[in-house]
Amino acid sequence: MSRYAIGVDFGSESGRAVLVDVADGTQLATAVYPYSNGVIDERLPLPDRDVTLPPDWALQDPEDYVRTFQATVPAVLRDSGVDPSDVIGLGIDFTACTMLPVTADGTPLALLPELRANPHAWVKLWKHHAAQPEADRINETASRLGEGWLPKYGGKISSEWFFSKALQILEEAPDVYARADRLIEAADWVVWRLTGVETRNPTTAGYKAMWSKREGFPERAYFEALDPRLADVVDQKMSREIAVMGDRAGGLTDEAAAWTGLRPGTAVAVANVDAHVAVPASTVIEAGRMVAIMGTSTCHMVLAPDEHLVPGICGYVEDGILPGFFGYEAGQSCVGDHFAWFVEHAVPERYTNEARERGIDIHALLQEHAARLTPGESGLLALDWWNGNRSVLVDVELGGLLIGATLATTAPEIYRALVEATAYGTRVIIEALETNGVPVNEVIAAGGLADKSPLIMQIYADVTGRPFKLSGSDQAPALGSAMFGAVAAGPEAGGFASIEDASRAMARLKDLVYEPNPEATRVYDVLFREYVRLHDYFGRGENNVMKTLRGLRASARDDGA
Amino acid sequence: MSRYAIGVDFGSESGRAVLVDVADGTQLATAVYPYSNGVIDERLPLPDRDVTLPPDWALQDPEDYVRTFQATVPAVLRDSGVDPSDVIGLGIDFTACTMLPVTADGTPLALLPELRANPHAWVKLWKHHAAQPEADRINETASRLGEGWLPKYGGKISSEWFFSKALQILEEAPDVYARADRLIEAADWVVWRLTGVETRNPTTAGYKAMWSKREGFPERAYFEALDPRLADVVDQKMSREIAVMGDRAGGLTDEAAAWTGLRPGTAVAVANVDAHVAVPASTVIEAGRMVAIMGTSTCHMVLAPDEHLVPGICGYVEDGILPGFFGYEAGQSCVGDHFAWFVEHAVPERYTNEARERGIDIHALLQEHAARLTPGESGLLALDWWNGNRSVLVDVELGGLLIGATLATTAPEIYRALVEATAYGTRVIIEALETNGVPVNEVIAAGGLADKSPLIMQIYADVTGRPFKLSGSDQAPALGSAMFGAVAAGPEAGGFASIEDASRAMARLKDLVYEPNPEATRVYDVLFREYVRLHDYFGRGENNVMKTLRGLRASARDDGA
């Protein structure tokens, strides 16, 4: 008898459900719900009020998450023809840190009429970057107090993370902060909505809220030093009970069963993070094999049996990706976004016309032209910092750089240089990990870029000198969530006892492998040395021109406002 | 009774004649001849042979110059209705160094059937850049031998100059070199064609062939050290008789009179250089007022009563621009070309569509958008080295740099940053002159860019902190040549005794003056400091990444060839 599991992957623009066969991971149906309010970064979606948002804000509507369940799960059941009683479990993964303030019963403050017009009552999406002053204080205070957790996060935590966002709420909207009985990751909140049980997953706690299995959260004194009103944030508005990855958070409530068409009581897994569930979904259950989720940005994850401090990575968490390993995570904040920017802002019409005439995507056209170039032929080098640098410099105020242009430089040459720059960025991360004791022998790529662009994958292989393999599923996060759903159901229900077992049964790679071409790698070694020199010169304080430029830009805009 | 003069300006793509009233410089008619073979940089224009050119070559067809006289002079006579007997003189100006090998009677070697398929027999246009190895040797040898003339040219002579090109002919085509009875500037060659008299003008001799009034050419021993076969180049193929600026070279031959419709014997002035004749045509006959000819590239000229070494300028020549002054010249190799590159290679279709729909030039549209930005608001900074750097680094192998881009960066922001970069480049030149004793109190701009773009002029005024005025003629070089034609005719024929007299009568400025805005200058002072730091870091050898990139590009192309 066949058994099935459903994974629901909450992205930045949409939510997606996949229904898979537990026996071998075959995807039977998939459905996408584009969030009706998308990313809210200009004004709140209110019919009767005009509330505009400052720069760097990025919010979401929590009801879009509920609508995702309502729209997608019935669709995959219908399309697959699978009997709901054969669906043994459901798992979800989310962007992180994406968090919101709610009441004691889980009602988002954004739904309360009296707070609905306050932006701080809404969900703060991962890419909400307006809490940089708070992140700066969190780092300064941690550094001053010698907090032991700081080095685990590469020495710096991000404006995107949980306490940066919480502190911003406290400082800018103390009434919202006071009214929030709970501050919670959206990942945990949707599981709460499905099961009626508030759980806290170990992944976001570990990677985004400075929690560790051995030490717990930072101490009360640290939070008090940040702001006395924040001293008891963990006990008042969060929880010290952190669930175990792969556990069953609870069963579907009757209400959630009605939303989804699944049976009440269907096992729901403890929440997880999109990139992290993609690791076992990409066959990785051992050390030395990096998974790179390549989309608008890239998230790099690698397992190691032991603990190492690696300056500049996002962090490492024991049992944070898979039980029994230290899970190391790093990131590049501008990858697909980089190429999208280029296409929108710097590609002349003869290319857009040609793409239209031939009926192909503009990226495919530029890659076709760029593929005719050999390494070094463009004469260009770029620093991939159009959106700052996450790893290993952890500095959102860095800016982009392109060097070497001549009057003969073409758009495909620049496009290729930008691709190469992101590949150098990946190599910097790999070398930082290896230098500090975390081997990276090969890379498994997942995500939109990996599937769509042979040129990009070959450049990455050539630049890093490592084979690039491809995750077998084009929906690795949703597959990973379904796998965790099958683990939450357990073997007695036809699922699995562990995520490793689920991975061995349900995950695979594509046959295609991008092997590094030694001749290309030889040229890229030269270019990479130049990249590193510019990276260090502009990124480590020797020449802070990028920050001066950013400061002048901010002043000019303030004057103009 | 009215008297008239004609100036013929030989540009890179076309030749242009202007007929003016000698009394006040009023332009009565203008005519342009686009060279039928334009800039020859891919293959020779031969019907029966396919001869392709290596990179960096730029040739012209000498017959295009004769056709310019044939097409334009009759046209301005016809259009103005002026009686040819009232035309007292004709002057010409040319790009420089643009040179060619000819026989003893002035026949270009490119016209000889047996040499026609040899690219070295053709005219080498100023922007022929393939003689860089020869320029390098010329500089190394001069430096090693302690040649006294070297510092006068900023310490480095260019691949564009006369002996670089001559040495390239000798080395790569010794048969062409041997067959050349004369090596001559195209400027002097067209005067020879008009008058039947071979003259050598002091401007190209001084600025492009290391000649000076006091020292003459470099000594035989120097040429011998370069290559024994070159030892007697001056005596064998050039001339030590250098004419005096403003003198009459000769009168029109019957043949040239037939070409042009002018009377035989009409006075023809000694040849001159386009940028240099624009100086008196822009009212400048005294020290301290820089003339900047702003087109695809910019040429800066300023007079001073005394001699100063200024590192990195193109050179200074006594009596080289106006008699009685030391004429200092500097240059930027990428100005209008920079913006043209940007429009061709980096402007997305929504802007080109908007320009088309509104029926305006794409540059005008981008400037309209860019004009809404305040200094610093783009957050961008560029090094204007897309075509290398002429002054003050004298290095064609430098490349472009753009720094500070974010995912919000737009095309008009980049456009503005490129304009600003060229203005910083001008400020570097002005400061180099002033630091070394050559004051620059204001700038008179001439050329296409100056007339077309108020935004560009205002940015230049703000960046340099100096007023920018505009030459009264939109054809300053052709007007200047007509003025020299009137001086060649002399006062007895209704002309002038000196170019100063001609300038006072015939030249004027536009009423419009761009005054620096002190608030903008304050911001640009900050940006300029950052520009200078990057300029020195990448341009003076601390980080030679631009050359490494150029080397890799060359290797990649060689491998691919």
Side-chain angles (χ1 to χ4, degrees), chain B residues 542-558:
Chain B
E542 191 172 344
N543 186 333
N544 281 323
V545 57
M546 291 168 179
K547 295 179 184 200
T548 303
L549 290 170
R550 199 157 289 229
L552 288 172
R553 184 177 69 154
S555 305
R557 292 184 179 183
D558 287 348

mmCIF file with all atom_site columns, all heavy atoms in Angstrom, chain B residues 542-558:
data_model
loop_
_atom_site.group_PDB
_atom_site.id
_atom_site.type_symbol
_atom_site.label_atom_id
_atom_site.label_alt_id
_atom_site.label_comp_id
_atom_site.label_asym_id
_atom_site.label_entity_id
_atom_site.label_seq_id
_atom_site.pdbx_PDB_ins_code
_atom_site.Cartn_x
_atom_site.Cartn_y
_atom_site.Cartn_z
_atom_site.occupancy
_atom_site.B_iso_or_equiv
_atom_site.pdbx_formal_charge
_atom_site.auth_seq_id
_atom_site.auth_comp_id
_atom_site.auth_asym_id
_atom_site.auth_atom_id
_atom_site.pdbx_PDB_model_num
ATOM 1   N N   . GLU B 1 542 ? 50.234 50.459 -7.357  1.00 0.00 ? 542 GLU B N   1
ATOM 2   C CA  . GLU B 1 542 ? 50.056 49.733 -6.094  1.00 0.00 ? 542 GLU B CA  1
ATOM 3   C C   . GLU B 1 542 ? 49.255 48.460 -6.323  1.00 0.00 ? 542 GLU B C   1
ATOM 4   O O   . GLU B 1 542 ? 49.547 47.423 -5.727  1.00 0.00 ? 542 GLU B O   1
ATOM 5   C CB  . GLU B 1 542 ? 49.359 50.636 -5.063  1.00 0.00 ? 542 GLU B CB  1
ATOM 6   C CG  . GLU B 1 542 ? 49.379 50.037 -3.672  1.00 0.00 ? 542 GLU B CG  1
ATOM 7   C CD  . GLU B 1 542 ? 48.865 51.005 -2.617  1.00 0.00 ? 542 GLU B CD  1
ATOM 8   O OE1 . GLU B 1 542 ? 48.781 52.221 -2.892  1.00 0.00 ? 542 GLU B OE1 1
ATOM 9   O OE2 . GLU B 1 542 ? 48.541 50.539 -1.506  1.00 0.00 ? 542 GLU B OE2 1
ATOM 10  N N   . ASN B 1 543 ? 48.218 48.550 -7.142  1.00 0.00 ? 543 ASN B N   1
ATOM 11  C CA  . ASN B 1 543 ? 47.451 47.350 -7.508  1.00 0.00 ? 543 ASN B CA  1
ATOM 12  C C   . ASN B 1 543 ? 47.275 47.347 -9.024  1.00 0.00 ? 543 ASN B C   1
ATOM 13  O O   . ASN B 1 543 ? 46.537 48.149 -9.573  1.00 0.00 ? 543 ASN B O   1
ATOM 14  C CB  . ASN B 1 543 ? 46.091 47.347 -6.809  1.00 0.00 ? 543 ASN B CB  1
ATOM 15  C CG  . ASN B 1 543 ? 45.330 46.042 -7.059  1.00 0.00 ? 543 ASN B CG  1
ATOM 16  O OD1 . ASN B 1 543 ? 45.529 45.377 -8.072  1.00 0.00 ? 543 ASN B OD1 1
ATOM 17  N ND2 . ASN B 1 543 ? 44.477 45.673 -6.124  1.00 0.00 ? 543 ASN B ND2 1
ATOM 18  N N   . ASN B 1 544 ? 47.988 46.423 -9.657  1.00 0.00 ? 544 ASN B N   1
ATOM 19  C CA  . ASN B 1 544 ? 47.990 46.395 -11.125 1.00 0.00 ? 544 ASN B CA  1
ATOM 20  C C   . ASN B 1 544 ? 46.944 45.455 -11.707 1.00 0.00 ? 544 ASN B C   1
ATOM 21  O O   . ASN B 1 544 ? 47.117 44.919 -12.800 1.00 0.00 ? 544 ASN B O   1
ATOM 22  C CB  . ASN B 1 544 ? 49.380 46.013 -11.635 1.00 0.00 ? 544 ASN B CB  1
ATOM 23  C CG  . ASN B 1 544 ? 50.326 47.200 -11.601 1.00 0.00 ? 544 ASN B CG  1
ATOM 24  O OD1 . ASN B 1 544 ? 49.908 48.331 -11.869 1.00 0.00 ? 544 ASN B OD1 1
ATOM 25  N ND2 . ASN B 1 544 ? 51.570 46.954 -11.266 1.00 0.00 ? 544 ASN B ND2 1
ATOM 26  N N   . VAL B 1 545 ? 45.852 45.277 -10.970 1.00 0.00 ? 545 VAL B N   1
ATOM 27  C CA  . VAL B 1 545 ? 44.837 44.327 -11.417 1.00 0.00 ? 545 VAL B CA  1
ATOM 28  C C   . VAL B 1 545 ? 44.339 44.651 -12.829 1.00 0.00 ? 545 VAL B C   1
ATOM 29  O O   . VAL B 1 545 ? 44.064 43.747 -13.615 1.00 0.00 ? 545 VAL B O   1
ATOM 30  C CB  . VAL B 1 545 ? 43.664 44.268 -10.407 1.00 0.00 ? 545 VAL B CB  1
ATOM 31  C CG1 . VAL B 1 545 ? 43.038 45.629 -10.174 1.00 0.00 ? 545 VAL B CG1 1
ATOM 32  C CG2 . VAL B 1 545 ? 42.599 43.290 -10.868 1.00 0.00 ? 545 VAL B CG2 1
ATOM 33  N N   . MET B 1 546 ? 44.247 45.925 -13.185 1.00 0.00 ? 546 MET B N   1
ATOM 34  C CA  . MET B 1 546 ? 43.752 46.259 -14.517 1.00 0.00 ? 546 MET B CA  1
ATOM 35  C C   . MET B 1 546 ? 44.661 45.692 -15.610 1.00 0.00 ? 546 MET B C   1
ATOM 36  O O   . MET B 1 546 ? 44.193 45.247 -16.647 1.00 0.00 ? 546 MET B O   1
ATOM 37  C CB  . MET B 1 546 ? 43.616 47.772 -14.672 1.00 0.00 ? 546 MET B CB  1
ATOM 38  C CG  . MET B 1 546 ? 42.496 48.362 -13.806 1.00 0.00 ? 546 MET B CG  1
ATOM 39  S SD  . MET B 1 546 ? 42.607 50.161 -13.754 1.00 0.00 ? 546 MET B SD  1
ATOM 40  C CE  . MET B 1 546 ? 41.184 50.566 -12.705 1.00 0.00 ? 546 MET B CE  1
ATOM 41  N N   . LYS B 1 547 ? 45.948 45.699 -15.339 1.00 0.00 ? 547 LYS B N   1
ATOM 42  C CA  . LYS B 1 547 ? 46.874 45.161 -16.332 1.00 0.00 ? 547 LYS B CA  1
ATOM 43  C C   . LYS B 1 547 ? 46.839 43.635 -16.345 1.00 0.00 ? 547 LYS B C   1
ATOM 44  O O   . LYS B 1 547 ? 46.974 43.013 -17.397 1.00 0.00 ? 547 LYS B O   1
ATOM 45  C CB  . LYS B 1 547 ? 48.281 45.669 -16.064 1.00 0.00 ? 547 LYS B CB  1
ATOM 46  C CG  . LYS B 1 547 ? 48.297 47.170 -16.271 1.00 0.00 ? 547 LYS B CG  1
ATOM 47  C CD  . LYS B 1 547 ? 49.613 47.823 -16.022 1.00 0.00 ? 547 LYS B CD  1
ATOM 48  C CE  . LYS B 1 547 ? 49.389 49.312 -16.175 1.00 0.00 ? 547 LYS B CE  1
ATOM 49  N NZ  . LYS B 1 547 ? 50.604 50.059 -16.410 1.00 0.00 ? 547 LYS B NZ  1
ATOM 50  N N   . THR B 1 548 ? 46.674 43.063 -15.169 1.00 0.00 ? 548 THR B N   1
ATOM 51  C CA  . THR B 1 548 ? 46.532 41.610 -15.122 1.00 0.00 ? 548 THR B CA  1
ATOM 52  C C   . THR B 1 548 ? 45.312 41.186 -15.930 1.00 0.00 ? 548 THR B C   1
ATOM 53  O O   . THR B 1 548 ? 45.362 40.230 -16.716 1.00 0.00 ? 548 THR B O   1
ATOM 54  C CB  . THR B 1 548 ? 46.361 41.156 -13.659 1.00 0.00 ? 548 THR B CB  1
ATOM 55  O OG1 . THR B 1 548 ? 47.491 41.617 -12.918 1.00 0.00 ? 548 THR B OG1 1
ATOM 56  C CG2 . THR B 1 548 ? 46.255 39.648 -13.559 1.00 0.00 ? 548 THR B CG2 1
ATOM 57  N N   . LEU B 1 549 ? 44.212 41.919 -15.764 1.00 0.00 ? 549 LEU B N   1
ATOM 58  C CA  . LEU B 1 549 ? 42.989 41.590 -16.507 1.00 0.00 ? 549 LEU B CA  1
ATOM 59  C C   . LEU B 1 549 ? 43.214 41.745 -18.002 1.00 0.00 ? 549 LEU B C   1
ATOM 60  O O   . LEU B 1 549 ? 42.781 40.920 -18.805 1.00 0.00 ? 549 LEU B O   1
ATOM 61  C CB  . LEU B 1 549 ? 41.843 42.489 -16.052 1.00 0.00 ? 549 LEU B CB  1
ATOM 62  C CG  . LEU B 1 549 ? 41.334 42.213 -14.631 1.00 0.00 ? 549 LEU B CG  1
ATOM 63  C CD1 . LEU B 1 549 ? 40.364 43.310 -14.194 1.00 0.00 ? 549 LEU B CD1 1
ATOM 64  C CD2 . LEU B 1 549 ? 40.667 40.843 -14.557 1.00 0.00 ? 549 LEU B CD2 1
ATOM 65  N N   . ARG B 1 550 ? 43.913 42.803 -18.378 1.00 0.00 ? 550 ARG B N   1
ATOM 66  C CA  . ARG B 1 550 ? 44.156 43.024 -19.803 1.00 0.00 ? 550 ARG B CA  1
ATOM 67  C C   . ARG B 1 550 ? 45.043 41.912 -20.370 1.00 0.00 ? 550 ARG B C   1
ATOM 68  O O   . ARG B 1 550 ? 44.840 41.436 -21.476 1.00 0.00 ? 550 ARG B O   1
ATOM 69  C CB  . ARG B 1 550 ? 44.792 44.392 -20.019 1.00 0.00 ? 550 ARG B CB  1
ATOM 70  C CG  . ARG B 1 550 ? 44.640 44.845 -21.442 1.00 0.00 ? 550 ARG B CG  1
ATOM 71  C CD  . ARG B 1 550 ? 44.743 46.336 -21.566 1.00 0.00 ? 550 ARG B CD  1
ATOM 72  N NE  . ARG B 1 550 ? 43.590 46.999 -21.001 1.00 0.00 ? 550 ARG B NE  1
ATOM 73  C CZ  . ARG B 1 550 ? 42.902 47.950 -21.630 1.00 0.00 ? 550 ARG B CZ  1
ATOM 74  N NH1 . ARG B 1 550 ? 43.266 48.306 -22.838 1.00 0.00 ? 550 ARG B NH1 1
ATOM 75  N NH2 . ARG B 1 550 ? 41.883 48.546 -21.067 1.00 0.00 ? 550 ARG B NH2 1
ATOM 76  N N   . GLY B 1 551 ? 46.018 41.490 -19.567 1.00 0.00 ? 551 GLY B N   1
ATOM 77  C CA  . GLY B 1 551 ? 46.886 40.398 -20.012 1.00 0.00 ? 551 GLY B CA  1
ATOM 78  C C   . GLY B 1 551 ? 46.113 39.097 -20.180 1.00 0.00 ? 551 GLY B C   1
ATOM 79  O O   . GLY B 1 551 ? 46.297 38.379 -21.173 1.00 0.00 ? 551 GLY B O   1
ATOM 80  N N   . LEU B 1 552 ? 45.228 38.815 -19.238 1.00 0.00 ? 552 LEU B N   1
ATOM 81  C CA  . LEU B 1 552 ? 44.432 37.583 -19.350 1.00 0.00 ? 552 LEU B CA  1
ATOM 82  C C   . LEU B 1 552 ? 43.524 37.647 -20.575 1.00 0.00 ? 552 LEU B C   1
ATOM 83  O O   . LEU B 1 552 ? 43.323 36.661 -21.265 1.00 0.00 ? 552 LEU B O   1
ATOM 84  C CB  . LEU B 1 552 ? 43.587 37.384 -18.088 1.00 0.00 ? 552 LEU B CB  1
ATOM 85  C CG  . LEU B 1 552 ? 44.357 36.965 -16.836 1.00 0.00 ? 552 LEU B CG  1
ATOM 86  C CD1 . LEU B 1 552 ? 43.435 37.000 -15.621 1.00 0.00 ? 552 LEU B CD1 1
ATOM 87  C CD2 . LEU B 1 552 ? 44.939 35.568 -17.005 1.00 0.00 ? 552 LEU B CD2 1
ATOM 88  N N   . ARG B 1 553 ? 42.971 38.840 -20.813 1.00 0.00 ? 553 ARG B N   1
ATOM 89  C CA  . ARG B 1 553 ? 42.097 38.991 -21.969 1.00 0.00 ? 553 ARG B CA  1
ATOM 90  C C   . ARG B 1 553 ? 42.873 38.731 -23.263 1.00 0.00 ? 553 ARG B C   1
ATOM 91  O O   . ARG B 1 553 ? 42.420 38.011 -24.150 1.00 0.00 ? 553 ARG B O   1
ATOM 92  C CB  . ARG B 1 553 ? 41.506 40.407 -21.991 1.00 0.00 ? 553 ARG B CB  1
ATOM 93  C CG  . ARG B 1 553 ? 40.506 40.612 -23.110 1.00 0.00 ? 553 ARG B CG  1
ATOM 94  C CD  . ARG B 1 553 ? 39.883 41.997 -23.070 1.00 0.00 ? 553 ARG B CD  1
ATOM 95  N NE  . ARG B 1 553 ? 40.847 43.027 -23.409 1.00 0.00 ? 553 ARG B NE  1
ATOM 96  C CZ  . ARG B 1 553 ? 40.547 44.224 -23.928 1.00 0.00 ? 553 ARG B CZ  1
ATOM 97  N NH1 . ARG B 1 553 ? 39.279 44.534 -24.125 1.00 0.00 ? 553 ARG B NH1 1
ATOM 98  N NH2 . ARG B 1 553 ? 41.460 45.097 -24.205 1.00 0.00 ? 553 ARG B NH2 1
ATOM 99  N N   . ALA B 1 554 ? 44.069 39.301 -23.323 1.00 0.00 ? 554 ALA B N   1
ATOM 100 C CA  . ALA B 1 554 ? 44.884 39.108 -24.526 1.00 0.00 ? 554 ALA B CA  1
ATOM 101 C C   . ALA B 1 554 ? 45.243 37.638 -24.705 1.00 0.00 ? 554 ALA B C   1
ATOM 102 O O   . ALA B 1 554 ? 45.156 37.094 -25.806 1.00 0.00 ? 554 ALA B O   1
ATOM 103 C CB  . ALA B 1 554 ? 46.134 39.970 -24.441 1.00 0.00 ? 554 ALA B CB  1
ATOM 104 N N   . SER B 1 555 ? 45.595 36.961 -23.617 1.00 0.00 ? 555 SER B N   1
ATOM 105 C CA  . SER B 1 555 ? 45.936 35.534 -23.718 1.00 0.00 ? 555 SER B CA  1
ATOM 106 C C   . SER B 1 555 ? 44.732 34.734 -24.181 1.00 0.00 ? 555 SER B C   1
ATOM 107 O O   . SER B 1 555 ? 44.850 33.846 -25.027 1.00 0.00 ? 555 SER B O   1
ATOM 108 C CB  . SER B 1 555 ? 46.363 34.979 -22.357 1.00 0.00 ? 555 SER B CB  1
ATOM 109 O OG  . SER B 1 555 ? 47.406 35.726 -21.826 1.00 0.00 ? 555 SER B OG  1
ATOM 110 N N   . ALA B 1 556 ? 43.559 35.055 -23.611 1.00 0.00 ? 556 ALA B N   1
ATOM 111 C CA  . ALA B 1 556 ? 42.355 34.304 -23.980 1.00 0.00 ? 556 ALA B CA  1
ATOM 112 C C   . ALA B 1 556 ? 42.077 34.483 -25.459 1.00 0.00 ? 556 ALA B C   1
ATOM 113 O O   . ALA B 1 556 ? 41.702 33.539 -26.149 1.00 0.00 ? 556 ALA B O   1
ATOM 114 C CB  . ALA B 1 556 ? 41.171 34.766 -23.145 1.00 0.00 ? 556 ALA B CB  1
ATOM 115 N N   . ARG B 1 557 ? 42.276 35.716 -25.952 1.00 0.00 ? 557 ARG B N   1
ATOM 116 C CA  . ARG B 1 557 ? 41.989 35.944 -27.372 1.00 0.00 ? 557 ARG B CA  1
ATOM 117 C C   . ARG B 1 557 ? 43.017 35.281 -28.265 1.00 0.00 ? 557 ARG B C   1
ATOM 118 O O   . ARG B 1 557 ? 42.680 34.768 -29.324 1.00 0.00 ? 557 ARG B O   1
ATOM 119 C CB  . ARG B 1 557 ? 41.902 37.448 -27.638 1.00 0.00 ? 557 ARG B CB  1
ATOM 120 C CG  . ARG B 1 557 ? 40.657 37.968 -26.933 1.00 0.00 ? 557 ARG B CG  1
ATOM 121 C CD  . ARG B 1 557 ? 40.359 39.413 -27.177 1.00 0.00 ? 557 ARG B CD  1
ATOM 122 N NE  . ARG B 1 557 ? 39.117 39.684 -26.441 1.00 0.00 ? 557 ARG B NE  1
ATOM 123 C CZ  . ARG B 1 557 ? 38.473 40.836 -26.433 1.00 0.00 ? 557 ARG B CZ  1
ATOM 124 N NH1 . ARG B 1 557 ? 38.938 41.840 -27.121 1.00 0.00 ? 557 ARG B NH1 1
ATOM 125 N NH2 . ARG B 1 557 ? 37.356 40.988 -25.743 1.00 0.00 ? 557 ARG B NH2 1
ATOM 126 N N   . ASP B 1 558 ? 44.267 35.286 -27.816 1.00 0.00 ? 558 ASP B N   1
ATOM 127 C CA  . ASP B 1 558 ? 45.290 34.594 -28.607 1.00 0.00 ? 558 ASP B CA  1
ATOM 128 C C   . ASP B 1 558 ? 44.981 33.106 -28.681 1.00 0.00 ? 558 ASP B C   1
ATOM 129 O O   . ASP B 1 558 ? 45.082 32.492 -29.734 1.00 0.00 ? 558 ASP B O   1
ATOM 130 C CB  . ASP B 1 558 ? 46.674 34.776 -27.962 1.00 0.00 ? 558 ASP B CB  1
ATOM 131 C CG  . ASP B 1 558 ? 47.177 36.203 -28.165 1.00 0.00 ? 558 ASP B CG  1
ATOM 132 O OD1 . ASP B 1 558 ? 46.571 36.929 -28.977 1.00 0.00 ? 558 ASP B OD1 1
ATOM 133 O OD2 . ASP B 1 558 ? 48.168 36.567 -27.530 1.00 0.00 ? 558 ASP B OD2 1
#
